Amino acid sequence: MSTNYLAVNGINRKYLVYRPARLTQVRSVVTVLHGGGGAGLTVADPGTHPLSVFRNVADTAKFLLVYPEGSLDNQGNPGWNDCRRDDIAGSQGEDLPFLKLLMDSLRIKLQLTPSNMFLTGTSNGALMTYTYAFWYPSTVRAIAVSSGNLPLNPESGTCTSGSSVPLPILITHGTLDPAMPAAGGCVANLGGACNRGQVISQSATIQYWLQRNGLSNTTPTISSFDFNLSDAGNVEKRIYSGPNQIVYYVLNGAGHAVPSRTVFSNTTPASGAQNRDIEYAVEVWQFFRQYQP
């Protein structure tokens, strides 16, 4: 893992790059956005966070893995300045220009095309993934998010109008997520101030993507499974097939944590229970790989 910096309007922005052994020619780049709340780039440390499992997947699948660090929020924790207009406690840095410059510089340096670039994130990183997909959808081939709904009160301009460019997407969301409520509402609202802004429901978020990807009249193929009987509940997988596919994992009874079979998160009032039936990094890569050039 190498530590790198990229200057954005005079400020050095940090990102980590993981290049698997014996990776001679890069075919795909997967960029992973951490959530808010303090985890930052520690999500890349092996065994500490489900997002670190992308390193194991990269070792086998041989893709380049990038972990950027967000700007600081009001508490001094790294996060992302996404499209929420009412996120008054969140990061206010120039994260969108940073990510755009990072993706462009990687693509040019590695002599790739946008079809080789993939983006994923969780929580605040999920909303930042949506933000990037609103502004620069033609620079990535597909995206994936864990525990993220679209903002109820987006910033004006592109954050409100969105994009008509279809983009394949994988989504996982817990039905009992206290931090990113499946029914919509205040984000991470343990204190009751609603100073992290509000989001629409998971159902409305899916409907947005169905319409954008031309899949509104598509009947999904549904399967369910429950590999870990000791976690919160089973998984319902909905596949909306088409040129720009949507794969939606409903994590019944689960909370906010990234689902994983190998890296477990503690159940807390702020997060809820973790689903342990799927490995997020594995599912995301299996989704992304079908779109490789």
Side-chain angles (χ1 to χ4, degrees), residues 4-122:
N4 303 267
Y5 295 90
L6 190 64
V8 180
N9 294 331
I11 299 176
N12 279 334
R13 299 298 301 267
K14 184 178 179 181
Y15 66 98
L16 306 178
V17 174
Y18 181 70
R19 188 182 186 111
R22 296 182 296 278
L23 176 59
T24 55
Q25 183 176 0
V26 177
R27 185 180 174 192
S28 294
V29 177
V30 176
T31 299
V32 180
L33 305 185
H34 61 75
L41 292 181
T42 62
V43 300
D45 296 341
T48 62
H49 193 282
L51 294 182
S52 70
V53 181
F54 276 103
R55 295 177 59 165
N56 305 93
V57 179
D59 285 336
T60 302
K62 303 303 181 187
F63 57 80
L64 194 74
L65 185 59
V66 181
Y67 292 94
E69 184 176 62
S71 58
L72 300 182
D73 63 14
N74 287 356
Q75 290 75 46
N77 297 318
W80 302 102
N81 184 7
D82 57 56
C83 274
R84 282 173 291 172
R85 174 165 47 87
D86 49 1
D87 181 15
I88 60 176
S91 302
Q92 303 298 320
E94 295 185 272
D95 294 315
L96 187 62
F98 166 47
L99 291 179
K100 178 61 164 56
L101 184 60
L102 174 61
M103 301 288 269
D104 286 348
S105 63
L106 289 168
R107 176 177 50 79
I108 294 170
K109 180 180 180 180
L110 298 169
Q111 298 182 333
L112 301 175
T113 70
S115 295
N116 305 91
M117 312 298 288
F118 301 92
L119 180 64
T120 181
T122 184

Side-chain angles (χ1 to χ4, degrees), residues 233-264:
N234 69 343
V235 174
E236 182 179 294
K237 182 180 181 181
R238 305 175 186 173
I239 301 176
Y240 298 85
S241 297
N244 296 284
Q245 189 181 57
I246 296 175
V247 177
Y248 176 32
Y249 292 86
V250 181
L251 312 179
N252 287 309
H256 193 64
V258 177
S260 177
R261 293 189 186 184
T262 59
V263 181
F264 297 154

